[in-house]
Amino acid sequence: MYKILVLLIVMFAILFVWFDYTSKTVGFLYNPSTNAAEYLTYENKGVYFIASNIESDLEKFFRFLSNRGVRFVIGPSTSVDGNKVLSFLEKYDLISLSPTISSTRLLKSGYIYSFIPSNETVISAFREYLKKTGCKNLLLVLDGSNREYSDDFKSLLDDFSGDFVYYTDSSSIRGISAENYDTAILTTVDKASIEIVRLLKTANEKIRVVGTEASFSKVFLTLGGRFVEGTYFLVPKIPMAQGAELELIDNWVEFIQQHKFLSTQQFRRFINTHVLKIKDRYVYFTPSGVNTEMKVYVVEEGKFKEVQ
């Protein structure tokens, strides 16, 4: 009887250590073209990362995570990368906790969750914003490397006169007659958006440039300098100490610290039935993505300031 009791205690201890380790260990998948990798240099408060570049052998990476009982991956950040990993998430039954993926199709898959609302919600907010500002002729500058995300914004041209262009480098828009447009929406990342703002404002200083969360970062402010003053953003209301991507990664890390799940099904049941307190705000998830408040910001004196 004593031996059985000792054996049970040992088995329980092993199970506890295994569960504690796996509940605190997550994958971390990043793209060097965004700022996500910077988070790996931060103190992460007891969460253990198994990190990989999106250009690595994804089959090997996800198999490695699965073999170690890991159930969650922080990232990736872009919809095009989300499309790359969806089949692996399904194959190994893992959940992607993305900071900024907003593709409606991916968010409805049940394998990718994001703190950015779906494109359906975001574009609806943009449509109302453009009506409010009296947009007459719209230019969409779409990220050519992330069409899974950007292409949905073309639906705005059903309601507003204008055109779109895919941005790959500065030559993509040098032939654009910026003086023909009163508003431009950018779905590009921060460094590209700085160059686009500079080119558009040089050609038409009155054009209203509006960015998405893709370039809502401290990099946009620090590298953009005076050239990006007066740029608007329509994004979810979030703290801005680090920028949207890094801030929302930190939100997911905090979530992992506070909640432990035995399975992906338990996670889905929880997140679809609870209101989550994330720092100083509350959010809840619907079948097509997170429900959270959208806000307008403007770059003023080198800072993002909320427009009342």
PDB file of all heavy atoms in Angstrom, residues 195-212:
ATOM      1  N   GLU A 195       7.453  56.145 -46.082  1.00  0.00           N
ATOM      2  CA  GLU A 195       7.846  56.534 -47.440  1.00  0.00           C
ATOM      3  C   GLU A 195       6.635  56.964 -48.260  1.00  0.00           C
ATOM      4  O   GLU A 195       6.681  57.949 -49.002  1.00  0.00           O
ATOM      5  CB  GLU A 195       8.566  55.368 -48.126  1.00  0.00           C
ATOM      6  CG  GLU A 195       8.966  55.608 -49.576  1.00  0.00           C
ATOM      7  CD  GLU A 195      10.074  56.643 -49.736  1.00  0.00           C
ATOM      8  OE1 GLU A 195      10.602  57.120 -48.705  1.00  0.00           O
ATOM      9  OE2 GLU A 195      10.407  56.970 -50.887  1.00  0.00           O
ATOM     10  N   ILE A 196       5.531  56.249 -48.113  1.00  0.00           N
ATOM     11  CA  ILE A 196       4.313  56.571 -48.864  1.00  0.00           C
ATOM     12  C   ILE A 196       3.760  57.934 -48.440  1.00  0.00           C
ATOM     13  O   ILE A 196       3.400  58.755 -49.289  1.00  0.00           O
ATOM     14  CB  ILE A 196       3.253  55.469 -48.659  1.00  0.00           C
ATOM     15  CG1 ILE A 196       3.742  54.152 -49.258  1.00  0.00           C
ATOM     16  CG2 ILE A 196       1.926  55.874 -49.305  1.00  0.00           C
ATOM     17  CD1 ILE A 196       2.940  52.943 -48.820  1.00  0.00           C
ATOM     18  N   VAL A 197       3.711  58.179 -47.136  1.00  0.00           N
ATOM     19  CA  VAL A 197       3.230  59.478 -46.642  1.00  0.00           C
ATOM     20  C   VAL A 197       4.096  60.604 -47.198  1.00  0.00           C
ATOM     21  O   VAL A 197       3.583  61.639 -47.648  1.00  0.00           O
ATOM     22  CB  VAL A 197       3.232  59.510 -45.097  1.00  0.00           C
ATOM     23  CG1 VAL A 197       2.944  60.934 -44.596  1.00  0.00           C
ATOM     24  CG2 VAL A 197       2.201  58.544 -44.534  1.00  0.00           C
ATOM     25  N   ARG A 198       5.400  60.419 -47.165  1.00  0.00           N
ATOM     26  CA  ARG A 198       6.309  61.450 -47.663  1.00  0.00           C
ATOM     27  C   ARG A 198       6.051  61.756 -49.136  1.00  0.00           C
ATOM     28  O   ARG A 198       5.965  62.923 -49.539  1.00  0.00           O
ATOM     29  CB  ARG A 198       7.766  61.009 -47.476  1.00  0.00           C
ATOM     30  CG  ARG A 198       8.797  62.070 -47.847  1.00  0.00           C
ATOM     31  CD  ARG A 198      10.203  61.563 -47.677  1.00  0.00           C
ATOM     32  NE  ARG A 198      10.516  60.521 -48.638  1.00  0.00           N
ATOM     33  CZ  ARG A 198      10.881  60.764 -49.907  1.00  0.00           C
ATOM     34  NH1 ARG A 198      10.936  62.011 -50.359  1.00  0.00           N
ATOM     35  NH2 ARG A 198      11.164  59.765 -50.712  1.00  0.00           N
ATOM     36  N   LEU A 199       5.891  60.723 -49.949  1.00  0.00           N
ATOM     37  CA  LEU A 199       5.668  60.913 -51.382  1.00  0.00           C
ATOM     38  C   LEU A 199       4.308  61.562 -51.661  1.00  0.00           C
ATOM     39  O   LEU A 199       4.201  62.469 -52.491  1.00  0.00           O
ATOM     40  CB  LEU A 199       5.771  59.571 -52.106  1.00  0.00           C
ATOM     41  CG  LEU A 199       7.170  58.942 -52.179  1.00  0.00           C
ATOM     42  CD1 LEU A 199       7.097  57.520 -52.710  1.00  0.00           C
ATOM     43  CD2 LEU A 199       8.096  59.781 -53.048  1.00  0.00           C
ATOM     44  N   LEU A 200       3.261  61.094 -50.963  1.00  0.00           N
ATOM     45  CA  LEU A 200       1.924  61.642 -51.192  1.00  0.00           C
ATOM     46  C   LEU A 200       1.831  63.094 -50.732  1.00  0.00           C
ATOM     47  O   LEU A 200       1.269  63.940 -51.432  1.00  0.00           O
ATOM     48  CB  LEU A 200       0.881  60.789 -50.468  1.00  0.00           C
ATOM     49  CG  LEU A 200       0.650  59.368 -50.990  1.00  0.00           C
ATOM     50  CD1 LEU A 200      -0.369  58.643 -50.127  1.00  0.00           C
ATOM     51  CD2 LEU A 200       0.193  59.383 -52.449  1.00  0.00           C
ATOM     52  N   LYS A 201       2.376  63.390 -49.561  1.00  0.00           N
ATOM     53  CA  LYS A 201       2.304  64.748 -49.018  1.00  0.00           C
ATOM     54  C   LYS A 201       3.148  65.735 -49.826  1.00  0.00           C
ATOM     55  O   LYS A 201       2.793  66.919 -49.923  1.00  0.00           O
ATOM     56  CB  LYS A 201       2.763  64.747 -47.559  1.00  0.00           C
ATOM     57  CG  LYS A 201       1.789  64.092 -46.597  1.00  0.00           C
ATOM     58  CD  LYS A 201       0.626  65.031 -46.278  1.00  0.00           C
ATOM     59  CE  LYS A 201      -0.198  64.499 -45.128  1.00  0.00           C
ATOM     60  NZ  LYS A 201      -1.280  65.430 -44.739  1.00  0.00           N
ATOM     61  N   THR A 202       4.236  65.242 -50.398  1.00  0.00           N
ATOM     62  CA  THR A 202       5.063  66.112 -51.235  1.00  0.00           C
ATOM     63  C   THR A 202       4.287  66.536 -52.483  1.00  0.00           C
ATOM     64  O   THR A 202       4.367  67.684 -52.928  1.00  0.00           O
ATOM     65  CB  THR A 202       6.366  65.396 -51.643  1.00  0.00           C
ATOM     66  OG1 THR A 202       7.112  65.084 -50.463  1.00  0.00           O
ATOM     67  CG2 THR A 202       7.223  66.278 -52.545  1.00  0.00           C
ATOM     68  N   ALA A 203       3.514  65.584 -53.028  1.00  0.00           N
ATOM     69  CA  ALA A 203       2.745  65.869 -54.241  1.00  0.00           C
ATOM     70  C   ALA A 203       1.434  66.602 -53.943  1.00  0.00           C
ATOM     71  O   ALA A 203       0.945  67.368 -54.778  1.00  0.00           O
ATOM     72  CB  ALA A 203       2.439  64.560 -54.972  1.00  0.00           C
ATOM     73  N   ASN A 204       0.862  66.367 -52.771  1.00  0.00           N
ATOM     74  CA  ASN A 204      -0.421  66.984 -52.417  1.00  0.00           C
ATOM     75  C   ASN A 204      -0.474  67.164 -50.903  1.00  0.00           C
ATOM     76  O   ASN A 204      -0.865  66.253 -50.169  1.00  0.00           O
ATOM     77  CB  ASN A 204      -1.577  66.098 -52.896  1.00  0.00           C
ATOM     78  CG  ASN A 204      -2.946  66.660 -52.526  1.00  0.00           C
ATOM     79  OD1 ASN A 204      -3.049  67.760 -51.988  1.00  0.00           O
ATOM     80  ND2 ASN A 204      -3.992  65.899 -52.808  1.00  0.00           N
ATOM     81  N   GLU A 205      -0.082  68.330 -50.429  1.00  0.00           N
ATOM     82  CA  GLU A 205       0.017  68.556 -48.993  1.00  0.00           C
ATOM     83  C   GLU A 205      -1.339  68.527 -48.297  1.00  0.00           C
ATOM     84  O   GLU A 205      -1.417  68.383 -47.072  1.00  0.00           O
ATOM     85  CB  GLU A 205       0.710  69.881 -48.705  1.00  0.00           C
ATOM     86  CG  GLU A 205      -0.018  71.114 -49.229  1.00  0.00           C
ATOM     87  CD  GLU A 205       0.703  72.405 -48.917  1.00  0.00           C
ATOM     88  OE1 GLU A 205       1.904  72.344 -48.591  1.00  0.00           O
ATOM     89  OE2 GLU A 205       0.067  73.478 -49.000  1.00  0.00           O
ATOM     90  N   LYS A 206      -2.437  68.625 -49.057  1.00  0.00           N
ATOM     91  CA  LYS A 206      -3.768  68.634 -48.449  1.00  0.00           C
ATOM     92  C   LYS A 206      -4.395  67.244 -48.340  1.00  0.00           C
ATOM     93  O   LYS A 206      -5.456  67.092 -47.741  1.00  0.00           O
ATOM     94  CB  LYS A 206      -4.699  69.540 -49.261  1.00  0.00           C
ATOM     95  CG  LYS A 206      -4.312  71.019 -49.210  1.00  0.00           C
ATOM     96  CD  LYS A 206      -5.318  71.873 -49.979  1.00  0.00           C
ATOM     97  CE  LYS A 206      -4.955  73.352 -49.896  1.00  0.00           C
ATOM     98  NZ  LYS A 206      -5.937  74.207 -50.629  1.00  0.00           N
ATOM     99  N   ILE A 207      -3.766  66.228 -48.912  1.00  0.00           N
ATOM    100  CA  ILE A 207      -4.350  64.897 -48.889  1.00  0.00           C
ATOM    101  C   ILE A 207      -4.397  64.361 -47.461  1.00  0.00           C
ATOM    102  O   ILE A 207      -3.451  64.519 -46.685  1.00  0.00           O
ATOM    103  CB  ILE A 207      -3.583  63.931 -49.819  1.00  0.00           C
ATOM    104  CG1 ILE A 207      -4.373  62.639 -50.032  1.00  0.00           C
ATOM    105  CG2 ILE A 207      -2.186  63.624 -49.278  1.00  0.00           C
ATOM    106  CD1 ILE A 207      -3.804  61.747 -51.125  1.00  0.00           C
ATOM    107  N   ARG A 208      -5.524  63.774 -47.083  1.00  0.00           N
ATOM    108  CA  ARG A 208      -5.672  63.163 -45.758  1.00  0.00           C
ATOM    109  C   ARG A 208      -5.217  61.711 -45.858  1.00  0.00           C
ATOM    110  O   ARG A 208      -5.806  60.914 -46.598  1.00  0.00           O
ATOM    111  CB  ARG A 208      -7.131  63.221 -45.299  1.00  0.00           C
ATOM    112  CG  ARG A 208      -7.399  62.520 -43.953  1.00  0.00           C
ATOM    113  CD  ARG A 208      -8.874  62.522 -43.623  1.00  0.00           C
ATOM    114  NE  ARG A 208      -9.330  63.864 -43.294  1.00  0.00           N
ATOM    115  CZ  ARG A 208      -9.537  64.306 -42.052  1.00  0.00           C
ATOM    116  NH1 ARG A 208      -9.325  63.513 -41.017  1.00  0.00           N
ATOM    117  NH2 ARG A 208      -9.968  65.533 -41.840  1.00  0.00           N
ATOM    118  N   VAL A 209      -4.160  61.370 -45.125  1.00  0.00           N
ATOM    119  CA  VAL A 209      -3.627  60.010 -45.144  1.00  0.00           C
ATOM    120  C   VAL A 209      -4.073  59.292 -43.874  1.00  0.00           C
ATOM    121  O   VAL A 209      -3.865  59.793 -42.761  1.00  0.00           O
ATOM    122  CB  VAL A 209      -2.089  60.008 -45.239  1.00  0.00           C
ATOM    123  CG1 VAL A 209      -1.570  58.574 -45.285  1.00  0.00           C
ATOM    124  CG2 VAL A 209      -1.635  60.786 -46.469  1.00  0.00           C
ATOM    125  N   VAL A 210      -4.675  58.120 -44.059  1.00  0.00           N
ATOM    126  CA  VAL A 210      -5.207  57.353 -42.927  1.00  0.00           C
ATOM    127  C   VAL A 210      -4.580  55.961 -42.932  1.00  0.00           C
ATOM    128  O   VAL A 210      -4.662  55.237 -43.927  1.00  0.00           O
ATOM    129  CB  VAL A 210      -6.742  57.224 -43.002  1.00  0.00           C
ATOM    130  CG1 VAL A 210      -7.283  56.642 -41.692  1.00  0.00           C
ATOM    131  CG2 VAL A 210      -7.395  58.570 -43.297  1.00  0.00           C
ATOM    132  N   GLY A 211      -3.954  55.593 -41.834  1.00  0.00           N
ATOM    133  CA  GLY A 211      -3.317  54.286 -41.728  1.00  0.00           C
ATOM    134  C   GLY A 211      -4.150  53.301 -40.932  1.00  0.00           C
ATOM    135  O   GLY A 211      -5.118  53.671 -40.247  1.00  0.00           O
ATOM    136  N   THR A 212      -3.761  52.041 -41.016  1.00  0.00           N
ATOM    137  CA  THR A 212      -4.372  50.973 -40.222  1.00  0.00           C
ATOM    138  C   THR A 212      -3.386  50.550 -39.140  1.00  0.00           C
ATOM    139  O   THR A 212      -2.295  51.099 -39.021  1.00  0.00           O
ATOM    140  CB  THR A 212      -4.712  49.764 -41.109  1.00  0.00           C
ATOM    141  OG1 THR A 212      -3.489  49.191 -41.589  1.00  0.00           O
ATOM    142  CG2 THR A 212      -5.591  50.163 -42.290  1.00  0.00           C
TER     143      THR A 212
END
